[in-house]
């Protein structure tokens, strides 16, 4: 059914429903024969019932809902007039209704208003600092069996193109896939930079060779000569050694090589720690598996009425 045809979007339906809702609440306040907490619980029943039925769109169901509402109005009118039978009916209703229905309904704040309230709170109190969540490191394993959600599983250590990775279980988490992709992309960028520096270094060495040839031709202090057009030009060094073209490229290549070396050493260190974790996890896995097997065998023997000779021998 289109939204514009829903009963809750029709003016006549909304007027009838709101009028019935307000009439019921007003009649509850007029029940002086009941105590204040009982009147409040009765109003909460009406609020929760209307909130539960706000999405009903069937004509037949809506008719039943309105008939029940009008019947409740008659009962409340009779109880307010002092009729003993109607009052007993209301008290019986309060006793049989679940406690959850008699509680205050949650207030639904519109999304736009929630954003306004959060913005106002941030401006007033500053940004809320969330409590840091301390997650156990992968190198803190093996964890006790009480902290695991099920049986212990031995993690798998594999080589992702030279990057040691420890996977606890399948399927592989998206965060782990992102970590692998990020590390491999970073390493590939460094290797691409190294190849580009090698190419630039060859060109810089050719420039240095050309400068050496020019220095031999004109001398250290510089001499005058004629170019192809017959014009005089002079090359001077002012007694200082001219920097080499390949110097910066060599320095950048050495820094990049140091970074790659540190990363390789770091990967080796992480691999050794992960291998130690896998060994400890496998040891505990075998131990817990043996305990489960022994416990299952003892339980089966008890059910069969036999004696566990292994347990007696131990």
């Amino acid at each position: 059914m289109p939204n514009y045809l829903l009963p809750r979007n029709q003016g006549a339906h909304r007027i009838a429903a709101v009028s019935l809702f307000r009439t019921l609440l007003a009649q509850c306040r007029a029940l002086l024969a009941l105590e204040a907490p009982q009147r409040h619980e009765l109003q909460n029943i009406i609020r929760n019932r209307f909130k539960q039925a706000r999405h009903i769109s069937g004509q037949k169901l809506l008719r039943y809902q309105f008939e029940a509402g009008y019947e409740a109005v008659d009962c409340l009118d009779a109880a307010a007039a002092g009729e003993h039978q109607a009052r007993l009916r209301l008290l019986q209703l309060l006793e049989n209704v679940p406690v959850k229905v008699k509680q205050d309904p949650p207030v639904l704040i519109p999304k736009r208003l929630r954003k306004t309230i959060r913005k106002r709170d941030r401006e007033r109190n500053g940004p809320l600092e969330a409590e840091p969540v301390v997650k156990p490191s992968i190198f803190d394993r093996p964890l006790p069996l009480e902290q695991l959600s099920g049986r212990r599983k031995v993690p798998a250590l594999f080589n992702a193109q030279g990057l040691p990775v420890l996977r606890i279980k399948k399927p592989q988490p998206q965060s782990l896939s992102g970590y692998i992709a990020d590390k491999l992309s970073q390493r590939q960028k460094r290797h691409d930079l190294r190849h580009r520096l090698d190419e630039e270094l060859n060109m810089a060495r050719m420039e240095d060779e050309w400068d050496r040839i020019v220095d031999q031709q004109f001398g250290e202090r510089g001499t005058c000569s004629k170019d192809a057009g017959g014009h005089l030009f002079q090359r001077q060094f002012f007694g200082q050694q001219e920097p080499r073209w390949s110097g910066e490229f060599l320095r950048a290549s050495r820094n990049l090589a140091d970074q790659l070396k540190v990363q390789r050493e770091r990967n080796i260190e992480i691999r050794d720690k992960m291998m130690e974790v896998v060994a400890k996890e496998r040891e505990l896995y075998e131990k817990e598996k043996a305990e489960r097997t022994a416990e299952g065998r003892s339980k089966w023997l008890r059910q069969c009425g036999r004696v566990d000779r292994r347990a007696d021998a131990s």
Side-chain angles (χ1 to χ4, degrees):
M1 181 182 296
N3 290 332
Y4 62 88
L5 294 180
L6 292 175
R8 65 173 181 269
N9 295 334
Q10 302 295 324
H13 173 81
R14 293 179 62 85
I15 291 174
V18 172
S19 300
L20 178 60
F21 178 70
R22 292 179 177 177
T23 302
L24 289 171
L25 293 181
Q27 289 299 104
C28 290
R29 289 191 293 269
L31 290 175
L32 301 179
L34 299 180
E35 298 180 358
Q38 293 177 337
R39 292 197 298 268
H40 183 68
E41 291 179 353
L42 197 59
Q43 288 179 336
N44 287 337
I45 294 174
I46 296 172
R47 294 188 183 99
N48 288 317
R49 194 67 185 90
F50 268 81
K51 185 177 180 180
Q52 183 181 4
R54 68 184 184 275
H55 293 297
I56 295 178
S57 58
Q59 298 294 331
K60 189 175 182 180
L61 294 177
L62 287 174
R63 187 185 67 185
Y64 292 155
Q65 297 293 331
F66 275 101
E67 289 178 356
Y70 295 139
E71 184 179 354
V73 171
D74 296 338
C75 182
L76 291 173
D77 289 339
E83 186 176 340
H84 182 68
Q85 191 68 23
R87 180 176 176 274
L88 292 179
R89 185 179 179 184
L90 293 178
L91 293 176
Q92 185 179 4
L93 174 66
L94 290 175
E95 292 179 359
N96 297 332
V97 169
V99 180
K100 182 179 180 181
V101 182
K102 294 186 289 186
Q103 296 177 353
D104 294 334
V107 180
L108 297 179
I109 303 177
K111 185 176 181 181
R112 183 176 299 179
L113 182 58
R114 289 200 302 268
K115 291 183 178 179
T116 305
I117 294 175
R118 285 198 296 266
K119 182 179 179 181
R120 183 188 60 191
D121 293 341
R122 284 196 301 267
E123 293 176 353
R124 181 182 302 172
N125 304 326
L128 299 178
E129 296 182 359
E131 296 182 359
V133 179
V134 180
K135 296 183 179 180
S137 174
I138 195 173
F139 301 116
D140 295 338
R141 291 178 176 268
L143 298 176
L145 186 61
E146 294 77 13
Q147 298 183 11
L148 301 179
S149 58
R151 293 184 178 181
R152 186 181 304 277
K153 297 181 180 179
V154 180
L157 176 61
F158 62 94
N159 183 7
Q161 300 183 19
L163 183 68
V165 180
L166 191 65
R167 185 182 61 218
I168 304 299
K169 61 180 181 179
K170 289 184 179 181
Q172 181 171 295
Q174 188 67 26
S175 58
L176 182 58
S177 301
Y179 167 79
I180 296 174
D182 181 68
K183 289 297 183 180
L184 294 181
S185 176
Q186 181 184 22
R187 188 181 63 182
Q188 185 61 40
K189 289 180 180 179
R190 288 178 177 175
H191 282 291
D192 293 342
L193 178 59
R194 180 171 60 86
H195 292 306
R196 188 166 65 252
L197 287 176
D198 291 341
E199 296 177 358
E200 297 292 341
L201 181 59
N202 293 331
M203 183 64 67
R205 285 172 176 170
M206 295 173 64
E207 291 289 343
D208 291 338
E209 181 65 20
W210 172 253
D211 289 344
R212 187 187 64 80
I213 295 174
V214 173
D215 291 343
Q216 290 180 355
Q217 183 70 24
F218 291 98
E220 183 179 358
R221 291 291 179 179
T223 56
C224 295
S225 180
K226 293 183 179 181
D227 58 6
H231 300 89
L232 294 175
F233 66 93
Q234 188 177 17
R235 177 181 175 87
Q236 296 183 357
F237 297 96
F238 304 102
Q240 298 180 359
Q241 185 178 3
E242 188 177 12
R244 300 175 58 188
W245 292 88
S246 59
E248 292 298 329
F249 293 102
L250 288 173
R251 191 176 299 107
S253 297
R254 284 194 296 268
N255 293 337
L256 186 58
D258 293 340
Q259 293 178 4
L260 293 174
K261 181 180 178 181
V262 170
Q263 185 62 42
R264 284 194 298 269
E265 294 176 353
R266 176 64 176 167
N267 290 340
I268 293 174
E269 181 182 357
I270 293 176
R271 181 203 61 188
D272 296 339
K273 291 183 178 180
M274 288 181 175
M275 291 177 63
E276 184 178 357
V277 170
V278 172
K280 293 180 179 179
E281 288 279 3
R282 182 174 288 109
E283 181 180 357
L284 283 180
Y285 172 79
E286 296 295 340
K287 180 180 178 181
E288 293 170 1
K289 182 179 179 181
E291 292 177 355
R292 289 196 305 268
T293 304
E295 183 180 356
R297 176 181 175 82
S298 300
K299 183 178 180 181
W300 179 77
L301 290 175
R302 286 195 302 268
Q303 292 177 354
C304 297
R306 300 180 182 179
V307 179
D308 192 356
R309 297 180 179 178
R310 297 182 181 179
D312 295 341
S314 60

